[in-house]
Amino acid sequence: ERSRGLGDVYKRQVLLNDDYTTMEFVVMVLVEIFHHPRQRAIEIMLQVHHQGSGVAGIYPYAIAESKARRVMQLARSQGYPLRCTLEPA
């Protein structure tokens, strides 16, 4: 884990592939929650799809945790099992 000044520990948010969440939903999450441009969101989604996981972002722990929770709440509300895990950055 890296610390980038003032004791903030950064975490990597990783989206995990599953057999049910649509590619378009993953792109929407990357655009709406992580503020990626659509083309970059498509690239990350394809990495998740083909390699099993993809990094959505790297943020200080509190922000990372909040974004990961939002991803999973939104996914559940739409009936998708999409998971977003936190890993050391």
Side-chain angles (χ1 to χ4, degrees):
E1 294 179 333
R2 281 186 295 197
S3 178
R4 297 184 187 172
L6 301 179
D8 274 341
V9 174
Y10 278 63
K11 292 288 187 175
R12 176 183 295 120
Q13 289 99 349
V14 178
L15 296 178
L16 303 178
N17 192 39
D18 63 71
D19 292 332
Y20 303 100
T21 306
T22 65
M23 291 186 218
E24 190 54 41
F25 182 81
V26 174
V27 170
M28 185 275 297
V29 162
L30 289 163
V31 170
E32 297 296 321
I33 295 178
F34 295 97
H35 308 290
H36 288 289
R38 184 165 175 79
Q39 187 55 46
R40 179 67 184 128
I42 290 168
E43 292 168 6
I44 296 168
M45 174 275 296
L46 288 172
Q47 182 180 15
V48 172
H49 182 68
H50 293 296
Q51 298 178 13
S53 66
V55 177
I58 299 174
Y59 295 92
Y61 178 78
I63 295 170
E65 184 180 46
S66 174
K67 285 182 181 285
R69 187 170 39 252
R70 284 177 54 208
V71 166
M72 291 190 288
Q73 287 172 342
L74 183 58
R76 298 306 169 271
S77 76
Q78 299 298 310
Y80 295 125
L82 181 65
R83 291 180 47 219
C84 182
T85 62
L86 301 182
E87 298 181 357

